[in-house]
Amino acid sequence: MAATTVGRRAGMRIPAWRAEIVVAGGAALFLAYLTVVPLAMLLLGAVSASGSALDFQFTTRYLERVVTDQASLELLANSLIYAGGAAALAFALGTAAAWAVERTNIPARSLWYGLALVPLIVPGIVHTVAWLFLLSPEIGWINAPLKTFFGFSLSVYSLPGMIWIEGLHTAPLAFVLMSAAFRAMDPSLEEAAAASRADAWKTFRRVTLPLLLPSVASVLLILFVRALEGFEVPAIIGVPGRIFVYTSRIYLSLKLYPPSFGLAAAYGLVLLAISIVGLVLHRRATRHAERYATVTGKGYRPRRLQLGRFRYVALGALGLYAFLAVVLPFLVLIYASLVRVYSVPSLESLRELTLSNYSFILEDELTRTAVFNSLILGLASATVVVAVTAVIAWITVRTRLPGRGALDFLAFVPITIPGIVLGISLIWVYFTIPIRIYGTLWILLVAYVTRYLPYGIRGTTSALVQIHRELEEAAGAAGARWWATFRYILIPLLRPALVGVWIYVFIISLRELGAGVLLYSSQSVVLAVRIFDLRDSGNYTSIAALSVFLIIVLVTLVSVLQRIGGRTIREA
Amino acid sequence: MTTLRVESLRKTFTAQRGAVRAVEDVSFTVEDARFFTLLGPSGCGKTTTLRCIAGLERPEAGTIRLDDDVLSGDGRFVPTHARDIGMVFQSYAIWPHMTVFENVAFPLRVSEHPPSRAETRRLVAEALVLVGLEGLEERPAPQLSGGQQQRLALARALVRKPKLLLLDEPLSNLDAKLRQRMRIELRELQRRLGITTVYVTHDQGEALFLSHRVAVMQNGRIVQEGRPRDLYASPASAFVADFVGDATFLPGEVVEGGVRALGGIVRCALSEALTPGAKALLVMRPERVLVRSAPAGLVNEFAGTLRVAAFLGDHLDCIVDVVGTELRARAHPTAELRREQRVWVELPPEHCLAIPDDGWRPRALARTFDDDET
């Protein structure tokens, strides 16, 4: 049938299926270039004795080192304890909050959903720096009074300190995921248990808990992988405290003399492997969850536990969390941005408040370059990601091309690649192939686009799935050609979702540190990297000013995103 | 004058477990101004057939002709937008970002030669009057009720004055009362406009009510085609008898002048295919079975026990146990019948239909009790 259409060559029109194949083939090549090539180079780099994978000399030196020597075992132990601890803390905080908001009559319930925005508004590096201000051994807001009155201080440069800071920051993610799990659970399942004369405890143990178990497992795994991949806390807290994990070790193998790209690649490979195992287990847990069929898309109205007097205790606990995770860090940053030298606040220091830090970052050439670069990169990566993933989503959702599932898979692969591992992989790629973009904005753009493909594909696919196929078919039946359908039906209906994805990618790209920290040069410095650099030079008050500036920009963007999100929901 | 001819249509889908023949050797003709219905359970290929006619699916084999134009087949495939059709989708597919007016005007605006502004306005108004939506032009489409959306979809399908109207289960998303009313309106509209129509449904009531001709589909094939009353009175198979109307099936061996069943011989007319000794199925429509509390001494009368007598307003839904076989029947709503009482059922020979037994049986007898849970 296809052959006859080509053979005839009667119409001017290219048969639709052929254009599809060209577009899909192009998309597949593009995705393979972004995902398969770096991973292949990482693998080659880990077993390559020379600096380029082209004049390849095989060696197992690096791999042997990362799995056998004593320091590596310590590295593995540290990484697992750090990521496991942070995941457990975030899970405990997030689940308690989710349970309170979803299943009790805690006051101001809808307000707490705002917690979900915290990780978007406060970048990891800003959060980490803020807690350094709070827990610094001598002059931290929390430690200084402890030392004065009780004669001891909490050490932030320790595993518990790292776990505390990371766990506090990722708890909102646990909150979002667990409240979705609570909401998706049909309360009639619990009511049926009650009607079978099970008391509250038996209902919880025999029905609620087993039903939630797959969600619990998957959320814990996500949090674990996230903590493992994180670079901010290990670099800013862990390195000075001499507590090393994989991400910081990769960074150091390139930054300490002599730099070893092979060793960095080998560590990257180990981290990638652990991350992949975690995500595969996560996928298995969620697939299992579907069999439980707790999600039917119905809006459930669960029975809420009446807390009585404890309502305000619960409210206080949630309030305390919000205070520690958002209010206190923000306050300390504002304070630090207004003083010349950071110290414990006193009448004296308050009298000498100054805006000099702000004028410093406004006049600092590198900071201005960083702001400009971040904006350019944000615009470019958001646009490329939306355009590419919209096309891929259309192919996977609307066509019956063979191999379309592989496109979807390829676009999802980067979710398993930690930012810093992507960085070392790209170094290997562009040291090897003769495209000289290392140290320019282009290599950062490649990194950002690769890293955000999964978010893009998720957003555009779910938007397209929600648009009933018949809306497009009706346009065809009404006499509209392909372009008219595209122009008058598809684009207007998709626009809110595409704009939403665009802004989301723009926001997260402004805060990216891990993927950029190995790839930048003084010409291609970006915001998060600039904060990281200022820390190296000990200029903490300027960091505070830049952090406050970044938070204000992000709050503005997030509120725009919220408004668009709200409109999308109303239109649907 | 518009005639649709579908010949030897075939369409295969590749599913996870290999190829699935969705449509196999389907042929039919819809004469001018006729209302033609494809009727069958889900997955029987009726919607795929309709989508092939619309050009939304590309058939592997067969031809589709609208009058003298080949829409599909002989190496030709006219894309959907170039076919002179109007189509109503199951989901209505009302574009949510447009007003009522914009939805109806869309087919005019995207046509090769768009009419003038004034002409567009006139044609849209005309289409809206046709379906009773006049005055709602400026309303955003998502603010319409389900019934109004359905009318809007119809107006949009008709505004171009297409040769052929295609309807894909348009009433299935409406509630029962509205469905009743809409099918009356749809019937009136089609008869008045005289537009050649192909309709797809799984609802036998709709099919019988609306159609000039009905084709019953099963597993991708048309198993019987005919006028509604012929399908009901002379189903060619147990599947058709079961799908079009209610029926009790009595399997039995053919004897001279009847079929051995219910512990005796049920007298009935026999076609030539049914020679003594063959396996046959007796098809009994419940409304043709008479129930009495005393014997009347007639042909085909059998004694039994009344198991169920449920009051349904206009009749009593009865199940009579005749020597272990459950027979459905309808009695007058005022009949004095008690559960577990002895009754006599009469199966009038002229309403007893014997068909060859191809082994097919209704999926679940429980269907019988779906209507009344008394």
Side-chain angles (χ1 to χ4, degrees), chain A residues 483-527:
Chain A
W483 63 265
T485 305
F486 194 74
R487 167 78 186 76
Y488 297 112
I489 308 294
L490 202 56
I491 290 295
L493 288 174
L494 274 179
R495 191 167 46 211
L498 295 184
V499 172
V501 171
W502 193 94
I503 295 181
Y504 182 74
V505 171
F506 185 72
I507 288 172
I508 55 177
S509 78
L510 284 189
R511 347 145 354 121
E512 180 69 50
L513 177 64
V517 75
L518 296 181
L519 301 174
Y520 80 100
S521 66
S522 59
Q523 277 80 47
S524 63
V525 66
V526 292
L527 265 172

Side-chain angles (χ1 to χ4, degrees), chain A residues 1 5 8 13 400 468 470-471 473-481 484 488-489 492-493, chain B residues 51 56-58 75 80-81 85 89-91 93-98 106-107 110 156 160:
Chain A
M1 157 206 85
T5 320
R8 267 178 0 100
R13 223 171 56 94
R400 297 200 188 115
H468 203 298
E470 288 185 350
L471 289 171
E473 290 175 350
R481 285 161 177 276
Y488 297 112
I489 308 294
L493 288 174
Chain B
R51 290 170 62 85
L56 296 169
E57 303 285 351
R58 212 182 255 257
T80 301
H81 68 80
I85 56 170
F89 291 82
Q90 188 170 7
S91 69
I94 298 299
W95 298 307
H97 58 301
M98 298 183 186
F106 185 85
V110 296
R156 187 178 66 188
R160 279 203 296 175

Side-chain angles (χ1 to χ4, degrees), chain B residues 91 111 164 166 263-264 347:
Chain B
S91 69
S111 63
L164 183 64
L166 304 175
L347 314 177

Side-chain angles (χ1 to χ4, degrees), chain A residues 109-370:
Chain A
R109 204 178 321 121
S110 56
L111 196 69
W112 297 110
Y113 289 113
L115 281 180
L117 300 176
V118 172
L120 273 186
I121 293 167
V122 186
I125 185 160
V126 171
H127 175 84
T128 311
V129 167
W131 271 92
L132 208 53
F133 284 127
L134 292 169
L135 282 179
S136 171
E138 299 299 327
I139 51 171
W141 274 15
I142 293 174
N143 271 333
L146 279 181
K147 189 133 194 177
T148 313
F149 296 113
F150 302 102
F152 77 98
S153 63
L154 300 167
S155 171
V156 66
Y157 296 112
S158 64
L159 264 176
M162 291 168 69
I163 289 171
W164 166 255
I165 295 177
E166 176 70 17
L168 199 62
H169 192 239
T170 39
L173 179 64
F175 168 75
V176 171
L177 295 173
M178 285 310 291
S179 51
F182 278 120
R183 224 173 314 154
M185 213 175 89
D186 184 349
S188 68
L189 297 171
E190 289 167 288
E191 285 162 10
S196 313
R197 311 202 60 180
D199 59 26
W201 167 243
K202 277 194 187 124
T203 302
F204 178 77
R205 218 178 63 78
R206 307 288 287 269
V207 177
T208 315
L209 200 59
L211 282 172
L212 278 179
L213 221 49
S215 309
V216 170
S218 80
V219 172
L220 274 173
L221 283 163
I222 283 277
L223 294 169
F224 177 79
V225 171
R226 287 279 294 245
L228 201 66
E229 295 181 351
F231 176 69
E232 289 87 347
V233 174
I236 295 173
I237 310 289
V239 171
R242 305 205 54 76
I243 296 157
F244 302 112
V245 296
Y246 283 115
T247 49
S248 51
R249 180 54 81 191
I250 293 170
Y251 176 74
L252 290 177
S253 8
L254 296 187
K255 292 295 161 181
L256 293 182
Y257 189 81
S260 171
F261 294 96
L263 194 60
Y267 280 128
L269 213 53
V270 175
L271 181 53
L272 181 70
I274 300 177
S275 159
I276 287 175
V277 169
L279 287 169
V280 166
L281 289 177
H282 160 76
R283 221 188 158 96
R284 188 165 295 178
T286 43
R287 194 181 332 152
H288 204 53
E290 272 158 27
R291 220 181 305 152
Y292 280 71
T294 52
V295 185
T296 61
K298 258 198 263 172
Y300 294 124
R301 196 170 303 145
R303 253 186 343 173
R304 295 184 185 279
L305 188 70
Q306 301 300 311
L307 291 178
R309 271 179 308 161
F310 290 100
R311 277 182 90 190
Y312 295 97
V313 177
L315 185 67
L318 261 184
L320 179 65
Y321 167 71
F323 180 74
L324 288 176
V326 190
V327 180
L328 197 57
F330 192 57
L331 283 180
V332 80
L333 284 175
I334 290 181
Y335 168 76
S337 73
L338 294 174
V339 294
R340 258 178 236 286
V341 179
Y342 180 74
S343 61
V344 181
S346 61
L347 280 178
E348 223 168 308
S349 69
L350 287 174
R351 210 172 296 136
E352 290 177 9
L353 291 186
T354 167
L355 286 173
S356 65
N357 293 314
Y358 289 94
S359 55
F360 171 77
I361 61 162
L362 284 178
E363 283 157 21
D364 176 44
E365 197 55 47
L366 271 176
T367 306
R368 274 152 69 169
T369 312

Side-chain angles (χ1 to χ4, degrees), chain B residues 101 104-124 159-161:
Chain B
F101 178 85
V104 182
F106 185 85
L108 302 171
R109 286 175 172 171
V110 296
S111 63
E112 295 274 288
H113 307 288
S116 67
R117 235 164 229 272
E119 180 67 359
T120 303
R121 206 156 275 284
R122 193 184 64 76
L123 287 168
V124 170
V159 70
R160 279 203 296 175
K161 302 197 166 68

